[in-house]
Short mmCIF file of all heavy atoms in Angstrom, two decimals:
data_model
loop_
_atom_site.label_atom_id
_atom_site.label_comp_id
_atom_site.label_asym_id
_atom_site.label_seq_id
_atom_site.Cartn_x
_atom_site.Cartn_y
_atom_site.Cartn_z
N PRO A 284 57.23 13.44 -6.91
CA PRO A 284 57.50 12.00 -6.68
C PRO A 284 58.41 11.87 -5.44
O PRO A 284 59.30 12.57 -5.21
CB PRO A 284 58.23 11.42 -7.92
CG PRO A 284 57.90 12.45 -8.95
CD PRO A 284 57.69 13.82 -8.33
N LEU A 288 55.35 8.63 -0.99
CA LEU A 288 54.05 8.99 -1.51
C LEU A 288 53.25 7.77 -1.97
O LEU A 288 53.78 7.02 -2.79
CB LEU A 288 54.26 9.95 -2.73
CG LEU A 288 53.05 10.36 -3.49
CD1 LEU A 288 52.10 11.17 -2.61
CD2 LEU A 288 53.43 11.16 -4.74
N ILE A 290 49.51 6.50 -3.44
CA ILE A 290 48.29 6.87 -3.99
C ILE A 290 47.52 5.51 -4.37
O ILE A 290 47.44 5.15 -5.56
CB ILE A 290 48.37 7.73 -5.21
CG1 ILE A 290 49.22 8.96 -4.83
CG2 ILE A 290 47.03 8.16 -5.78
CD1 ILE A 290 49.52 9.88 -6.04
N GLY A 291 46.94 4.93 -3.36
CA GLY A 291 46.18 3.72 -3.51
C GLY A 291 46.73 2.73 -4.51
O GLY A 291 47.96 2.56 -4.67
N LYS A 292 45.86 2.17 -5.32
CA LYS A 292 46.17 1.24 -6.42
C LYS A 292 46.58 1.95 -7.62
O LYS A 292 47.30 1.43 -8.53
CB LYS A 292 44.96 0.31 -6.67
CG LYS A 292 44.59 -0.60 -5.58
CD LYS A 292 43.30 -1.37 -5.95
CE LYS A 292 42.91 -2.14 -4.73
NZ LYS A 292 41.60 -2.72 -4.92
N ARG A 293 46.27 3.27 -7.79
CA ARG A 293 46.57 4.05 -8.96
C ARG A 293 47.96 4.34 -9.09
O ARG A 293 48.57 4.20 -10.16
CB ARG A 293 45.69 5.39 -8.88
CG ARG A 293 45.98 6.32 -9.98
CD ARG A 293 45.41 7.69 -9.71
NE ARG A 293 45.53 8.58 -10.76
CZ ARG A 293 46.59 9.31 -11.00
NH1 ARG A 293 47.59 9.25 -10.21
NH2 ARG A 293 46.57 10.15 -12.06
N GLY A 294 48.63 4.86 -8.03
CA GLY A 294 50.01 5.21 -8.12
C GLY A 294 50.23 6.46 -9.00
O GLY A 294 49.30 7.26 -9.21
N LEU A 295 51.44 6.69 -9.52
CA LEU A 295 51.70 7.77 -10.34
C LEU A 295 51.69 7.22 -11.77
O LEU A 295 52.22 6.16 -12.11
CB LEU A 295 53.09 8.34 -10.07
CG LEU A 295 53.24 8.95 -8.71
CD1 LEU A 295 54.69 9.43 -8.51
CD2 LEU A 295 52.31 10.16 -8.53
N VAL A 296 51.01 7.96 -12.75
CA VAL A 296 50.85 7.42 -14.05
C VAL A 296 51.30 8.53 -15.07
O VAL A 296 51.50 9.67 -14.68
CB VAL A 296 49.31 7.16 -14.42
CG1 VAL A 296 48.87 5.97 -13.50
CG2 VAL A 296 48.47 8.33 -14.25
N GLY A 297 51.54 8.05 -16.35
CA GLY A 297 51.99 9.05 -17.34
C GLY A 297 53.32 9.73 -16.99
O GLY A 297 54.28 9.07 -16.68
N GLU A 298 53.25 11.04 -17.04
CA GLU A 298 54.41 11.86 -16.75
C GLU A 298 54.63 12.16 -15.23
O GLU A 298 55.59 12.76 -14.84
CB GLU A 298 54.35 13.17 -17.46
CG GLU A 298 54.34 13.04 -19.01
CD GLU A 298 54.14 14.38 -19.68
OE1 GLU A 298 54.12 15.41 -19.01
OE2 GLU A 298 53.97 14.32 -20.92
N GLU A 299 53.67 11.69 -14.41
CA GLU A 299 53.72 11.98 -12.94
C GLU A 299 54.93 11.50 -12.23
O GLU A 299 55.47 12.16 -11.32
CB GLU A 299 52.47 11.46 -12.34
CG GLU A 299 51.22 12.14 -12.73
CD GLU A 299 49.96 11.46 -12.27
OE1 GLU A 299 50.05 10.35 -11.71
OE2 GLU A 299 48.88 12.04 -12.47
N PRO A 300 55.52 10.36 -12.65
CA PRO A 300 56.74 9.94 -11.93
C PRO A 300 57.92 10.92 -12.14
O PRO A 300 58.88 10.92 -11.33
CB PRO A 300 57.10 8.56 -12.58
CG PRO A 300 55.81 8.02 -13.04
CD PRO A 300 55.03 9.29 -13.47
N GLU A 301 57.94 11.73 -13.12
CA GLU A 301 58.91 12.73 -13.33
C GLU A 301 58.53 14.16 -12.84
O GLU A 301 59.32 14.86 -12.19
CB GLU A 301 59.24 12.86 -14.90
CG GLU A 301 60.00 11.71 -15.42
CD GLU A 301 59.00 10.55 -15.87
OE1 GLU A 301 57.94 10.91 -16.32
OE2 GLU A 301 59.31 9.38 -15.65
N SER A 302 57.25 14.57 -13.11
CA SER A 302 56.89 15.93 -12.80
C SER A 302 56.02 16.05 -11.58
O SER A 302 55.72 17.19 -11.21
CB SER A 302 56.19 16.61 -13.95
OG SER A 302 55.07 15.81 -14.35
N GLY A 303 55.64 14.99 -11.03
CA GLY A 303 54.74 15.07 -9.90
C GLY A 303 53.26 15.01 -10.22
O GLY A 303 52.92 14.75 -11.36
N ILE A 304 52.38 15.19 -9.23
CA ILE A 304 50.94 15.09 -9.44
C ILE A 304 50.24 16.24 -8.72
O ILE A 304 50.72 16.73 -7.64
CB ILE A 304 50.44 13.76 -8.86
CG1 ILE A 304 48.93 13.60 -9.15
CG2 ILE A 304 50.79 13.59 -7.41
CD1 ILE A 304 48.40 12.21 -8.82
N ILE A 305 49.23 16.78 -9.34
CA ILE A 305 48.40 17.80 -8.77
C ILE A 305 47.23 17.11 -8.15
O ILE A 305 46.40 16.43 -8.77
CB ILE A 305 47.87 18.85 -9.78
CG1 ILE A 305 49.04 19.42 -10.64
CG2 ILE A 305 47.03 19.92 -9.12
CD1 ILE A 305 49.93 20.29 -9.89
N PHE A 329 39.63 9.98 -7.73
CA PHE A 329 40.27 9.99 -9.05
C PHE A 329 39.14 9.38 -10.03
O PHE A 329 39.00 8.20 -10.06
CB PHE A 329 41.55 9.15 -9.08
CG PHE A 329 42.59 9.71 -8.22
CD1 PHE A 329 42.66 9.36 -6.88
CD2 PHE A 329 43.55 10.51 -8.76
CE1 PHE A 329 43.71 9.83 -6.10
CE2 PHE A 329 44.58 11.05 -7.98
CZ PHE A 329 44.62 10.70 -6.65
N GLU A 334 40.65 6.64 -3.67
CA GLU A 334 41.96 6.00 -3.37
C GLU A 334 42.52 6.62 -2.00
O GLU A 334 42.36 7.76 -1.71
CB GLU A 334 43.01 6.34 -4.46
CG GLU A 334 42.63 5.80 -5.84
CD GLU A 334 42.88 4.34 -6.12
OE1 GLU A 334 43.35 3.65 -5.10
OE2 GLU A 334 42.57 3.90 -7.17
N ARG A 391 44.74 16.75 -21.62
CA ARG A 391 45.05 15.33 -21.87
C ARG A 391 43.85 14.46 -21.62
O ARG A 391 42.90 14.89 -20.96
CB ARG A 391 46.18 14.91 -20.82
CG ARG A 391 47.53 15.69 -21.17
CD ARG A 391 48.52 15.34 -20.18
NE ARG A 391 48.67 13.89 -20.06
CZ ARG A 391 49.53 13.30 -19.26
NH1 ARG A 391 50.27 13.96 -18.54
NH2 ARG A 391 49.66 12.04 -19.19
N LYS A 392 43.89 13.35 -22.29
CA LYS A 392 42.67 12.50 -22.24
C LYS A 392 42.64 11.60 -21.01
O LYS A 392 41.65 10.97 -20.81
CB LYS A 392 42.68 11.63 -23.48
CG LYS A 392 42.48 12.41 -24.80
CD LYS A 392 42.54 11.48 -25.94
CE LYS A 392 42.50 12.29 -27.19
NZ LYS A 392 42.65 11.50 -28.40
N ASP A 393 43.72 11.51 -20.15
CA ASP A 393 43.74 10.63 -19.03
C ASP A 393 43.33 11.24 -17.72
O ASP A 393 43.65 10.70 -16.67
CB ASP A 393 45.10 9.97 -18.93
CG ASP A 393 46.22 11.05 -18.79
OD1 ASP A 393 45.90 12.22 -18.77
OD2 ASP A 393 47.35 10.61 -18.65
N ASN A 394 42.57 12.39 -17.71
CA ASN A 394 42.03 13.02 -16.57
C ASN A 394 43.09 13.45 -15.56
O ASN A 394 42.88 13.57 -14.42
CB ASN A 394 41.05 12.17 -15.83
CG ASN A 394 39.76 11.92 -16.67
OD1 ASN A 394 39.46 12.80 -17.49
ND2 ASN A 394 39.14 10.75 -16.46
N VAL A 395 44.26 13.74 -16.03
CA VAL A 395 45.35 14.31 -15.14
C VAL A 395 45.24 15.81 -15.28
O VAL A 395 45.22 16.39 -16.40
CB VAL A 395 46.72 13.78 -15.68
CG1 VAL A 395 47.78 14.48 -14.82
CG2 VAL A 395 46.85 12.30 -15.50
N ILE A 396 45.22 16.49 -14.12
CA ILE A 396 45.12 17.92 -14.10
C ILE A 396 46.46 18.57 -14.52
O ILE A 396 47.53 18.22 -14.01
CB ILE A 396 44.73 18.48 -12.72
CG1 ILE A 396 43.36 17.89 -12.32
CG2 ILE A 396 44.82 19.98 -12.64
CD1 ILE A 396 43.00 18.21 -10.86
N GLN A 397 46.40 19.44 -15.51
CA GLN A 397 47.53 20.13 -16.00
C GLN A 397 47.32 21.63 -15.69
O GLN A 397 46.24 22.14 -16.00
CB GLN A 397 47.80 19.93 -17.54
CG GLN A 397 48.08 18.58 -17.92
CD GLN A 397 49.43 18.10 -17.49
OE1 GLN A 397 50.35 18.83 -17.55
NE2 GLN A 397 49.51 16.87 -16.97
#
Side-chain angles (χ1 to χ4, degrees):
L288 175 63
I290 305 177
K292 295 175 185 172
R293 178 191 184 276
L295 297 175
V296 297
E298 297 174 9
E299 294 170 351
E301 292 84 36
S302 61
I304 183 170
I305 306 292
F329 294 86
E334 299 282 0
R391 292 181 50 183
K392 295 179 184 174
D393 57 1
N394 293 333
V395 175
I396 297 172
Q397 296 291 318

